[in-house]
Amino acid sequence: MPKRRAAILISGRGSNMAALIAAARASDFPAEIALVLANRPQAAGLAAAGAAGIPTAVVDHAGFGQDREGFERALQGELDARRIEIVCLAGFMRLLTTWFVARWEGRMINIHPALLPAFKGLDTHARAIAAGVKIHGATVHFVIPEMDSGPIILQGAVAVREDDTADALAARVLAVEHKIYPAALRLLAEGRVHLADGRCRIDGACPDDRMLLAPAIGG
Ligand code: GRF
């Protein structure tokens, strides 16, 4: 099977991008990272992608003012030029129009640092601590026009600690992100993710009856 051609869209440091690039180096990985595309020329992830030998491009949203569709047409041009089949948003901080989202329906995924549908939006870790949840995590999901929504492909969780700070919790969730994003891209590129009634079904998913209890119950 030829590898599926994936692009990663970033705005910043690109640690999830780096995790995807690292995973895609494996000869049996079903996707190749054919483009890293940033909306900010100073996105730190661009240098890391270039150093890894991945083609990079910048479409600076600032040059388009309020013309969101113009910006997205330019994005689409870069994706077309590289014959991209799957788009992975990885810390891409622009809202996308329904035109672009519809163009990539079922082929564009995002990672969000919370267990959706809880804590959509920003500052998820501080909000999770403030809400007093005991379990928190990250979600890979298909992108639909509504922000941080869309069918869930894969989630990972960590226990929230009594003395957690947003930064400490973010670091533990980020480690989860770096595991689940490559795993979700693998599932999608292998053709194992099917959408039915707004939910994802995963071919060959292993049942897992382990429990995560937080706090751990002693004795
Ligand atoms: C991650 O926490 C991701 O879940 C969120 O934005 C952050 C991006 O981090 N969407 P990085 O650029 O991948 O390091």
Side-chain angles (χ1 to χ4, degrees):
M1 273 267 283
K3 292 183 183 240
R4 309 292 305 279
R5 295 177 62 79
I8 308 173
L9 270 54
I10 64 168
S11 299
R13 81 188 148 178
S15 73
N16 279 288
M17 173 207 78
L20 290 167
I21 289 172
R25 281 208 193 94
S27 58
D28 72 338
F29 199 82
E32 73 173 287
I33 309 304
L35 176 66
V36 168
L37 182 51
N39 68 307
R40 295 171 63 238
Q42 64 274 38
L46 284 170
I54 308 291
T56 62
V58 176
V59 177
D60 188 349
H61 68 273
F64 292 86
Q66 301 301 311
D67 181 10
R68 284 169 66 192
E69 267 201 44
F71 166 67
E72 291 177 356
R73 276 195 296 276
L75 288 182
Q76 185 65 51
E78 296 290 344
L79 297 170
D80 288 343
R82 295 276 173 189
R83 293 176 286 109
I84 297 302
E85 301 166 280
I86 295 174
V87 171
C88 303
L89 306 182
F92 186 69
M93 302 303 284
R94 303 301 296 172
L95 292 176
L96 296 165
T97 69
T98 50
W99 173 76
F100 190 82
V101 172
R103 175 79 186 68
W104 288 94
E105 187 181 357
R107 301 183 301 146
M108 178 158 62
I109 60 180
N110 180 47
I111 187 150
H112 181 73
L115 290 172
L116 292 173
F119 306 119
K120 298 176 181 181
L122 298 175
D123 298 324
T124 54
H125 309 301
R127 288 163 55 214
I129 291 171
V133 297
K134 302 299 188 196
I135 292 174
H136 182 52
T139 302
V140 181
H141 64 95
F142 282 112
V143 176
I144 64 170
E146 192 186 332
M147 192 185 66
D148 298 332
S149 301
I152 291 169
I153 301 170
L154 196 52
Q155 294 185 302
V158 297
V160 178
R161 295 179 184 165
E162 294 290 309
D163 58 351
D164 247 334
T165 63
D167 285 349
L169 183 54
R172 298 202 308 288
V173 170
L174 194 62
V176 170
E177 295 183 39
H178 296 165
K179 276 185 186 290
I180 66 173
Y181 213 173
L185 176 58
R186 173 184 280 278
L187 290 171
L188 181 62
E190 285 174 345
R192 292 174 58 192
V193 182
H194 303 287
L195 282 167
D197 300 327
R199 289 197 290 168
C200 287
R201 299 190 67 89
I202 313 287
D203 283 348
C206 297
D208 187 338
D209 295 328
R210 284 172 297 175
M211 293 182 188
L212 170 60
L213 306 182
I217 299 168

